[in-house]
């Protein structure tokens, strides 16, 4: 059929083949770009905020411990500010705990949060007891609660939050690796298709000329 075709028909067929190949390369490129976009968005929009917030959680626990220690080093009128700081940190910790429970979706993160919930339930009564005694300026009883109960529970809570942080960092690294792999795969596919498209276009040009 190509032997009997006019020059215009042959050129049209050749351009049609080239355009089809270009569209195929563009389609594959677009799909790979969207895949890379999804990976980057998951990393920047989900993982990074979680790593930041788990750091805030650790700081809030450490600040509560610092306020408890500082309370005994200051006069009663100045010590009240330390107790207010503990209450503020407590509220922040509660908000962070609720936020993570709403946004967690992987099994290991949920398990880490469950461990935090258990340790947290053990710590909070000791914190409340300390605040009650400190408000009453019962220094000896407050110090006993701090040393025997609150401080050990704080260390357990800090360890549990640190485990969550390590998991979030691990998932962040995995997301980054997937994004890099998606980029490399996309580049390889585009190069491969471009080479194939070039060879097919050359073959079509030769065939049109000979036929």
């Amino acid at each position: 059929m190509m032997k009997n075709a006019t020059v215009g028909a042959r050129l049209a067929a050749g351009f049609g083949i080239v355009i089809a190949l270009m569209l195929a390369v563009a389609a594959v490129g677009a799909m790979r770009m969207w895949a890379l976009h999804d990976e980057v968005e998951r990393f920047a929009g989900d993982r990074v905020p979680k790593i930041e917030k788990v750091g805030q959680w650790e700081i809030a626990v450490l600040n509560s411990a610092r306020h408890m220690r500082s309370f005994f080093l200051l006069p009663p009128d100045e010590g009240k500010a330390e107790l207010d700081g503990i209450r503020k940190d407590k509220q922040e910790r509660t908000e962070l705990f609720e936020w993570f429970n709403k946004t967690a979706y992987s099994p290991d993160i949920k398990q880490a949060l469950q461990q935090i919930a258990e340790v947290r339930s053990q710590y909070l009564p000791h914190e409340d007891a300390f605040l009650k005694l400190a408000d009453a300026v019962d220094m000896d009883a407050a110090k006993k609660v701090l040393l025997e109960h609150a401080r050990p529970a704080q260390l357990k809570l800090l360890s549990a939050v640190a485990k969550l942080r390590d998991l979030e960092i691990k998932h962040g690294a995995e997301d980054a690796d997937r994004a890099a792999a998606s980029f490399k795969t996309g580049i390889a596919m585009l190069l491969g298709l471009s080479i194939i498209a070039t060879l097919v276009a050359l073959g079509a040009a030769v065939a049109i000329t000979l036929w």
Side-chain angles (χ1 to χ4, degrees):
M1 292 180 63
M2 287 297 292
K3 281 185 177 183
N4 300 325
T6 63
V7 173
R10 294 183 183 186
L11 290 174
F15 278 118
I17 293 172
V18 172
I19 291 172
L21 291 171
M22 289 176 62
L23 289 173
V25 172
V28 171
M31 287 189 295
R32 297 313 305 175
M33 287 298 292
W34 275 113
L36 178 60
H37 171 270
D38 291 342
E39 294 292 346
V40 172
E41 181 149 332
R42 177 165 55 234
F43 179 75
D46 179 70
R47 197 63 60 192
V48 171
K50 286 180 177 178
I51 293 173
E52 290 177 351
K53 284 185 178 294
V54 77
Q56 294 172 11
W57 200 345
E58 286 183 288
I59 291 172
V61 176
L62 290 170
N63 280 341
S64 293
R66 177 177 59 81
H67 288 309
M68 286 183 175
R69 293 193 303 270
S70 298
F71 173 75
F72 296 101
L73 304 176
L74 298 171
D77 55 334
E78 296 180 24
K80 184 179 182 303
E82 300 298 330
L83 301 182
D84 292 340
I86 295 172
R87 292 185 172 93
K88 181 180 177 182
D89 292 329
K90 180 181 179 181
Q91 179 62 33
E92 182 180 3
R93 296 195 317 264
T94 299
E95 291 173 357
L96 288 167
F97 178 71
E98 293 173 351
W99 185 86
F100 271 97
N101 275 286
K102 290 177 181 177
T103 59
Y105 51 85
S106 58
D108 55 349
I109 296 295
K110 290 182 178 180
Q111 184 177 358
L113 286 169
Q114 180 59 38
Q115 182 180 359
I116 289 175
E118 294 173 0
V119 176
R120 182 171 175 269
S121 66
Q122 298 169 11
Y123 168 68
L124 288 178
H126 300 312
E127 184 178 63
D128 291 339
F130 174 86
L131 288 169
K132 183 177 180 180
L133 292 168
D135 283 332
V137 199
D138 190 343
M139 306 298 279
D140 291 337
K143 184 178 290 186
K144 182 177 181 180
V145 169
L146 171 62
L147 296 177
E148 296 182 4
H149 303 290
R151 184 55 181 161
Q154 280 175 346
L155 293 175
K156 290 182 180 179
L157 179 58
L158 194 61
S159 176
V161 175
K163 181 179 178 181
L164 176 64
R165 178 203 62 211
D166 292 341
L167 287 173
E168 292 292 359
I169 292 174
K170 175 187 172 184
H171 284 301
E174 291 171 351
D175 289 344
D177 289 342
R178 277 194 296 269
S182 178
F183 174 76
K184 292 177 181 178
T185 301
I187 291 295
M189 291 180 67
L190 286 174
L191 287 174
L193 284 173
S194 297
I195 292 171
I196 292 172
T198 301
L199 293 175
V200 171
L202 289 173
V206 172
I208 290 171
T209 302
L210 294 178
W211 292 344

